[in-house]
Amino acid sequence: MKVNDQFVSTRRFRLKTVKFWRRPPGVTTFWPLAAALCALVWSMSAPVSTESANFRRSTSLQSQLVPIGILFFQDESGMNAPADLGQKIAKDLQQKLAINYKDVLPRMLNAGLDPSASAAMSVEQVVTLGKQHGVKFVVRGGLLAVTTENAGEETKIGVQLYASITSVESPGDTNVRAEGSGTQKGPVAELSSVDLKAAGFRNSALDQALSAATMQLATSIHDAITAAASTTVANIKPAPDSSAGTTVETEAAQAAAADQELQQLIAQAESTLGANPNSSTENINALRQALEGLKSALAEKASRLQENKDIGAADQEIATHKQEMQTALANLTAEASTGDTSAQIQQPGGEKKSLLARIGDFAGEATSLLQKIQELRSTLRSLREDDSANQGAPQDPASPQDPGAQTEETTGEVTGTVTQDGNPVEGAIVTGQEAGGSVTTDINGLFNLKGLTPGRLVQLTVAKNGRVIGRGQVEVLGGRAAIADFQTTSRADGRIPVNAMPGVLTSTIVGNRARTPGLSTGTLKGVVRDAIGRPVPFALVQLSDAGMARTNAQGQYSFVNVPVGIHQLTVRHSGMKPKSSQVTVAAQTSVEARTQFAAADTITRDRQSLIQVSARTVLRGTVLDNQTHPLAGAKISVIQSETTVSVLTAPAGIYELRNLKPGFYIVSVYKVGYQVASQTVTLKASATEQRNFQL
């Protein structure tokens, strides 16, 4: 694969070889040279001393107020709270923080976003927003519940709030909850009819409860923020090497989650219009413009990644167009739910056909750009691993060097669904790149491919009756399940499905009322939470006679235009036992469903260590390219059940793994730009096995 070599020398890199390569069959094109140069330039601009950087940051925290940005809260109570309640909670929270705590500087950041839009933002997008406004933390949250209790002549109201605190400097969320209560004589009005500006609202039971809950929330937020600041101040010494790996893993997980949100939004655009192609031209055109803008912003991000330029502006553009898409889709969904049930399906006219075709094209291009961005990130990670493998390399390239240290971790997995024209595909074979890595979909079209090496892109192929119906890549990380939903469509002749790319099922399923004229329908909305009340993103929700959806980043889902009657609702999430219940959908009404996993629902993973010091086993070998040049930084992984042990090849292309338990293993070799190679090996106690690979 090697065509030419270019040698680059920097103060952090010793002699470095960057290889051009041709694309192997079945592997998506990368840009290794551009990414390599971008990694080199980035490394040259990095601070020389981590200790001095941490010291400067800690000194700043000690001498300045901590700026906090607050976004409007959203209503998650399901009680149709007044539209301005979220704004009131956020402003009251700002006031209580400002009055009671002199070491913080809270201010509002509405940024033109409504509460649902701010809640839908990924951690990466929130961090970008925070940086633009110069704050250290961003707070967003919602109203969880409002309860009413009669106590003689008085009525008691309870309020539950939550907040997510995002650190701009160390991206990640901290969640806190608060409760408050109030009483008043006589009955209270329904929450949906409360006028927050009316004189009667002041000092009412609801006002008292909100004030108490907001004060408690302010205290919890302040405690969380000052604790985070104290941790930063204490962190003057440089972190151990392992922390860098943890940071990279965290960033990779956040980036993967942001990708999944966009994949889900694109899927919703296609499915909503697919079910209701006769929506108004105005709403369709608004969606087209938003999707076109998203595609352009993704292209700009990919370009800036290649050129090692700041991507903050591109991420903000992506967030803006994401909000525009959400608004357009909300309008389309509302239009579909109020359509004429007596109308028959009609073919859209020429103008709409053109709009729908362009939306389909933009959706495909946006999905391809997301995959391109994933490839760039993967290439950059590989180059960092190359740098790690080359640190301290001898000046003579022919001299050998000891292989790197081996690491042990939990294997990765990919979970997903395979559907054709919206119907589950049973018996489809989903194959990964690991030796023996294939599973068959069940009656619901579900699959779970385990035992994968984390920290890389995995190429997947889906076949049915000997024909490939889907293929593509998905990013596999340790500690979380990657999602790959293949939604295939038939060709015009109805015989061979068109190849599908992996994506994420939409969070909103919109049925077409015109397909069943005269049939009464309703809406089911729901939220899925974990054992401590946090939203569960991308859980799989299956509703009988309506289809399958995945929850969004806030754990929410909805089924619109569902036939009235009793339906079976099943919620699945990786690592948890399925939760099933029955729900009744009534005509022209919206039903709320809440699902919460308990600690007892957790499926215990039986991950056992593969390291046994007394085993005295040795697995060693070399990794070469197809022109017999040694490959440094290739990742060698041995896999058994839920555990994998990995090591990177040294500059001479050699590797060595020691003291693994005797037994049967799958050995996988991965390096960006090359096809994965796998072998099986049986290790015996006190014995040495040699396995060489050529990529």
Side-chain angles (χ1 to χ4, degrees):
M1 297 181 186
K2 185 175 175 185
V3 177
N4 189 18
D5 287 338
Q6 303 225 351
F7 299 93
V8 183
S9 177
T10 73
R11 64 180 173 83
R12 289 190 62 198
F13 284 72
R14 292 182 181 272
L15 203 59
K16 181 87 175 176
T17 302
V18 182
K19 300 175 180 178
F20 292 95
W21 61 282
R22 294 191 186 96
R23 176 168 60 97
V27 178
T28 310
T29 304
F30 297 86
W31 310 281
L33 177 61
L37 290 176
C38 110
L40 291 172
V41 174
W42 169 83
S43 68
M44 295 172 67
S45 63
V48 176
S49 171
T50 304
E51 181 174 349
S52 63
N54 285 339
F55 178 78
R56 287 194 298 271
R57 184 165 59 248
S58 63
T59 303
S60 175
L61 283 169
Q62 288 176 316
S63 61
Q64 298 180 12
L65 296 176
V66 179
I68 306 171
I70 303 175
L71 296 170
F72 290 166
F73 278 42
Q74 66 171 335
D75 176 26
E76 293 188 13
S77 67
M79 301 180 67
N80 297 320
D84 54 352
L85 180 60
Q87 182 177 348
K88 171 182 169 52
I89 295 172
K91 289 185 175 180
D92 287 352
L93 176 63
Q94 177 199 19
Q95 185 179 37
K96 285 177 168 56
L97 282 168
I99 292 174
N100 292 281
Y101 302 104
K102 304 305 181 184
D103 54 350
V104 296
L105 183 63
R107 60 178 186 262
M108 299 302 302
L109 301 180
N110 67 20
L113 300 173
D114 62 32
S116 62
S118 63
M121 294 173 69
S122 66
V123 172
E124 184 181 27
Q125 293 165 339
V126 173
V127 168
T128 299
L129 181 64
K131 288 179 178 178
Q132 289 178 338
H133 290 270
V135 299
K136 299 289 186 182
F137 298 88
V138 177
V139 176
R140 52 182 171 163
L143 172 68
L144 284 175
V146 177
T147 60
T148 304
E149 179 183 349
N150 292 325
E153 296 182 353
E154 293 186 333
T155 301
K156 180 179 179 180
I157 289 183
V159 169
Q160 295 183 27
L161 303 176
Y162 84 93
S164 293
I165 309 160
T166 303
S167 170
V168 173
E169 293 185 342
S170 303
D173 280 348
T174 299
N175 298 302
V176 295
R177 294 182 64 170
E179 297 183 4
S181 62
T183 58
Q184 70 179 61
K185 289 186 177 181
V188 297
E190 293 289 335
L191 182 62
S192 58
S193 63
V194 170
D195 183 357
L196 302 178
K197 298 178 181 179
F201 175 74
R202 187 173 181 82
N203 294 323
S204 66
L206 179 59
D207 186 34
Q208 297 170 33
L210 284 170
S211 179
T214 307
M215 186 65 240
Q216 187 183 118
L217 196 65
T219 301
S220 298
I221 291 171
H222 177 263
D223 291 346
I225 287 174
T226 52
S230 298
T231 301
T232 305
V233 170
N235 188 25
I236 297 179
K237 295 183 179 181
D241 292 342
S242 60
S243 68
T246 302
T247 301
V248 171
E249 291 172 4
T250 301
E251 291 175 353
Q254 292 169 353
D259 289 350
Q260 288 179 347
E261 288 186 56
L262 289 176
Q263 288 174 324
Q264 186 177 59
L265 197 61
I266 293 168
Q268 186 171 333
E270 294 186 291
S271 67
T272 301
L273 290 179
N276 296 272
N278 285 303
S279 301
S280 69
T281 302
E282 179 183 1
N283 286 335
I284 295 177
N285 197 50
L287 179 60
R288 178 202 57 81
Q289 292 176 342
L291 187 52
E292 182 178 12
L294 176 64
K295 184 210 72 172
S296 298
L298 288 170
E300 177 65 16
K301 180 174 181 177
S303 175
R304 297 186 76 82
L305 277 172
Q306 283 182 268
E307 298 170 3
N308 191 35
K309 295 181 179 179
D310 182 72
I311 60 173
D315 280 334
Q316 187 56 40
E317 278 293 308
I318 290 172
T320 298
H321 294 302
K322 177 182 175 183
Q323 165 62 18
E324 292 172 352
M325 284 187 67
Q326 289 169 331
T327 300
L329 286 167
N331 292 335
L332 285 164
T333 301
E335 181 182 4
S337 65
T338 58
D340 184 1
T341 60
S342 64
Q344 299 294 323
I345 301 176
Q346 297 178 359
Q347 291 297 322
E351 181 183 359
K352 285 186 179 178
K353 279 185 178 180
S354 176
L355 281 174
L356 294 172
R358 293 175 71 183
I359 287 174
D361 291 341
F362 291 147
E365 292 169 11
T367 301
S368 296
L369 284 165
L370 277 172
Q371 297 229 329
K372 186 179 292 185
I373 290 169
Q374 289 175 349
E375 291 165 2
L376 276 172
R377 289 199 302 256
S378 182
T379 302
L380 288 170
R381 283 200 302 270
S382 179
L383 288 164
R384 293 188 188 108
E385 290 177 349
D386 278 354
D387 178 41
S388 176
N390 280 287
Q391 289 295 330
Q395 294 299 318
D396 180 6
S399 300
Q401 181 185 355
D402 290 338
Q406 57 192 47
T407 59
E408 185 174 36
E409 57 188 326
T410 302
T411 55
E413 63 179 284
V414 178
T415 182
T417 62
V418 180
T419 59
Q420 181 177 339
D421 301 326
N423 300 312
V425 177
E426 181 183 6
I429 300 175
V430 183
T431 305
Q433 293 169 302
E434 312 285 5
S438 65
V439 291
T440 303
T441 56
D442 64 14
I443 191 173
N444 296 306
L446 309 180
F447 71 89
N448 194 353
L449 187 62
K450 296 185 177 182
L452 301 174
T453 305
R456 65 179 181 84
L457 292 175
V458 172
Q459 302 296 325
L460 299 176
T461 302
V462 184
K464 175 70 174 178
N465 297 327
R467 293 191 178 97
V468 174
I469 60 175
R471 68 169 78 243
Q473 67 190 29
V474 63
E475 193 167 19
V476 175
L477 303 171
R480 63 190 298 272
I483 296 175
D485 292 323
F486 290 88
Q487 302 179 71
T488 71
T489 55
S490 299
R491 293 173 52 136
D493 55 19
R495 291 184 298 174
I496 304 175
V498 176
N499 284 357
M501 298 175 66
V504 179
L505 289 174
T506 175
S507 63
T508 300
I509 299 295
V510 181
N512 192 323
R513 290 155 62 103
R515 294 185 185 277
T516 53
L519 181 65
S520 297
T521 61
T523 296
L524 173 68
K525 295 182 178 180
V527 62
V528 180
R529 298 187 181 277
D530 64 13
I532 60 175
R534 296 175 301 186
V536 177
F538 310 121
L540 185 65
V541 183
Q542 187 172 14
L543 185 67
S544 60
D545 301 324
M548 291 185 292
R550 285 196 184 274
T551 56
N552 60 19
Q554 289 70 51
Q556 301 164 334
Y557 66 90
S558 58
F559 292 87
V560 180
N561 296 339
V562 180
V564 299
I566 300 175
H567 298 266
Q568 183 78 7
L569 179 70
T570 303
V571 180
R572 296 179 176 87
H573 187 59
S574 177
M576 308 298 291
K577 299 174 184 176
K579 302 278 285 187
S580 295
S581 61
Q582 286 189 333
V583 294
T584 301
V585 176
Q588 298 181 354
T589 61
S590 179
V591 180
E592 300 283 342
R594 297 187 181 184
T595 303
Q596 184 164 11
F597 288 103
D601 296 323
T602 303
I603 299 174
T604 303
R605 298 191 69 171
D606 186 23
R607 187 180 86 81
Q608 299 180 352
S609 176
L610 300 180
I611 307 297
Q612 182 178 314
V613 177
S614 61
R616 293 184 296 174
T617 57
V618 178
L619 175 64
R620 61 164 62 109
T622 60
V623 180
L624 308 174
D625 65 15
N626 62 357
Q627 295 186 5
T628 68
H629 297 113
L631 286 179
K635 188 173 185 178
I636 312 292
S637 302
V638 294
I639 304 166
Q640 188 182 96
S641 186
E642 304 269 337
T643 311
T644 178
V645 180
S646 302
V647 69
L648 298 178
T649 55
I654 62 173
Y655 73 91
E656 185 173 279
L657 290 158
R658 289 180 172 271
N659 297 322
L660 298 174
K661 287 182 178 180
F664 178 83
Y665 291 89
I666 295 172
V667 187
S668 177
V669 185
Y670 171 76
K671 185 173 177 62
V672 170
Y674 296 84
Q675 290 180 310
V676 173
S678 297
Q679 296 182 20
T680 59
V681 63
T682 300
L683 299 181
K684 298 179 181 179
S686 304
T688 298
E689 287 288 335
Q690 181 86 15
R691 287 291 188 274
N692 300 325
F693 295 86
Q694 191 167 18
L695 306 185

